[in-house]
């Protein structure tokens, strides 16, 4: 599994919808969003799991670490 810095990952998660915009028409490509969502969701859950298992504090993320 490839991990990138947390700050970059959070920015990527926030811009998911923006990444689904078709540059030719400037409209959201619903098929692309549907196709990419599962991959993005799985990646996000794996990253959250990694953060929690390794007790990494990420400020303002909403991820709780015991």
């Amino acid at each position: 599994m490839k991990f990138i810095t947390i700050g970059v990952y959070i920015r990527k998660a926030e811009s998911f919808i923006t990444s689904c915009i078709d540059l030719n028409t400037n409209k959201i490509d619903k098929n692309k969003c549907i196709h990419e969502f599962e991959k993005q969701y799985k990646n996000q859950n794996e990253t959250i799991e990694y953060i929690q298992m390794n007790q990494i504090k990420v400020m303002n993320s909403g991820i709780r670490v015991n």
Side-chain angles (χ1 to χ4, degrees):
M1 178 196 249
K2 179 181 175 187
F3 287 101
I4 55 178
T5 61
I6 299 302
V8 171
Y9 179 78
I10 291 170
R11 284 192 301 269
K12 285 186 173 229
E14 291 174 348
S15 65
F16 173 69
I17 292 294
T18 307
S19 71
C20 293
I21 293 177
D22 182 350
L23 297 177
N24 295 327
T25 62
N26 287 332
K27 293 184 179 180
I28 295 175
D29 184 348
K30 291 180 185 178
N31 292 326
K32 182 178 179 183
C33 282
I34 291 168
H35 177 64
E36 293 290 320
F37 178 79
E38 288 298 322
K39 183 172 68 171
Q40 180 75 15
Y41 185 71
K42 181 182 176 210
N43 189 13
Q44 178 179 341
N45 285 337
E46 289 174 351
T47 303
I48 290 170
E49 222 173 89
Y50 177 83
I51 290 168
Q52 290 172 334
M53 286 173 47
N54 292 291
Q55 303 278 321
I56 300 170
K57 289 186 179 181
V58 181
M59 304 304 278
N60 297 323
S61 68
I63 301 171
R64 295 183 185 206
V65 180
N66 296 334

